[in-house]
Amino acid sequence: DTEVTQTPKHLVMGMTNKKSLKCEQHMGHRAMYWYKQKAKKPPELMFVYSYEKLSINESVPSRFSPECPNSSLLNLHLHALQPEDSALYLCASTEDRGRYGYTFGSGTRLTVV
Amino acid sequence: GESVGLHLPTLSVQEGDNSIINCAYSNSASDYFIWYKQESGKGPQFIIDIRSNMDKRQGQRVTVLLNKTVKHLSLQIAATQPGDSAVYFCAENIFGEYGNKLVFGAGTILRVKS
């Protein structure tokens, strides 16, 4: 298995809702990432997990809460989001130093209404 | 540094011509670089990579050039096809005290005219 799988593919949520994005990989990668991508912009790093521990938080607002239950799974819990949080959320993984490439999922298209 | 929020530059080429997409990176300590292709509604797709101890690497129809002196990368696509139309991003792997991260450049839209 050489894929990163993200669910759901599309999500519409209200500003008072709580939802979660999920990411899964079975390549044995020990580093996993969340990126946010707005239209016509490059992906921007949000969080990095290394060996299931949060290693980098790029000053992301607390309404985004990451979780890494095990080495294959990465979640992003969403609560009280704003319309400007609407974006494509991408998950990626790599062996621990990123020197053999990063594999990206297809993303979750999130719309906050 | 991170990408600046400007409109993406666009490169328009005729089918069959060669394309050259350029990218400037920010961190002299970056040791590994990757070019990605992204089609509408999809995640970034790996095209080719290069390590900092190399100047050039070739793949199938693609070549990446690295100039560390001026911190510049380029992607050359030979005999460009309509299926090459997409947004292209360069990315640099930065290894820091707290782990490694991939930082993307601003991106270029490639449009192939038939």
Side-chain angles (χ1 to χ4, degrees):
Chain A
D1 187 352
T2 59
E3 291 187 343
V4 172
T5 303
Q6 290 188 244
T7 56
K9 294 195 180 305
H10 301 275
L11 178 63
V12 179
M13 61 184 291
M15 289 188 284
T16 59
N17 291 160
K18 287 185 182 180
K19 296 286 185 183
S20 297
L21 309 185
K22 296 188 184 300
C23 173
E24 189 169 3
Q25 57 87 16
H26 296 286
M27 295 177 280
H29 289 173
R30 302 312 299 269
M32 297 184 74
Y33 303 75
W34 280 115
Y35 283 82
K36 174 183 178 180
Q37 187 178 24
K38 303 283 279 185
K40 300 196 186 303
K41 296 285 178 65
E44 292 185 351
L45 183 65
M46 301 174 72
F47 301 104
V48 179
Y49 271 83
S50 180
Y51 291 85
E52 296 119 69
K53 287 185 169 38
L54 182 65
S55 60
I56 298 176
N57 176 341
E58 295 282 1
S59 302
V60 179
S62 59
R63 57 185 184 270
F64 295 91
S65 176
E67 179 197 20
C68 189
N70 59 55
S71 60
S72 299
L73 293 174
L74 186 66
N75 298 321
L76 186 63
H77 303 298
L78 313 173
H79 174 54
L81 293 194
Q82 304 298 309
E84 59 265 29
D85 296 321
S86 299
L88 180 68
Y89 287 84
L90 293 162
C91 176
S93 71
T94 189
E95 43 69 45
D96 65 344
R97 292 178 66 90
R99 292 180 179 175
Y100 298 98
Y102 291 68
T103 304
F104 281 83
S106 296
T108 294
R109 175 71 61 188
L110 175 68
T111 303
V112 181
V113 296
Chain B
E2 302 299 332
S3 299
V4 179
L6 301 173
H7 293 293
L8 294 179
T10 300
L11 175 65
S12 292
V13 300
Q14 198 67 37
E15 181 179 359
D17 287 351
N18 296 334
S19 304
I20 299 177
I21 301 172
N22 296 303
C23 174
Y25 64 92
S26 59
N27 193 317
S28 299
S30 297
D31 60 354
Y32 176 55
F33 304 88
I34 310 173
W35 278 100
Y36 286 96
K37 172 186 181 183
Q38 188 174 28
E39 296 173 291
S40 181
K42 297 184 179 179
Q45 177 188 355
F46 173 91
I47 302 173
I48 191 169
D49 58 4
I50 188 168
R51 303 194 186 284
S52 58
N53 61 352
M54 302 171 70
D55 298 321
K56 178 179 179 179
R57 188 155 190 245
Q58 289 184 286
Q60 188 177 11
R61 278 203 310 120
V62 294
T63 300
V64 55
L65 300 177
L66 174 62
N67 185 330
K68 294 181 287 293
T69 303
V70 294
K71 294 191 283 189
H72 183 268
L73 276 167
S74 67
L75 176 70
Q76 301 176 359
I77 304 174
T80 314
Q81 302 168 359
D84 295 327
S85 295
V87 180
Y88 289 80
F89 293 101
C90 68
E92 55 183 312
N93 183 51
I94 300 173
F95 190 78
E97 179 181 354
Y98 300 104
N100 56 284
K101 59 183 181 180
L102 194 65
V103 176
F104 284 80
T108 297
I109 298 171
L110 177 64
R111 292 205 174 106
V112 182
K113 297 175 285 188
S114 299

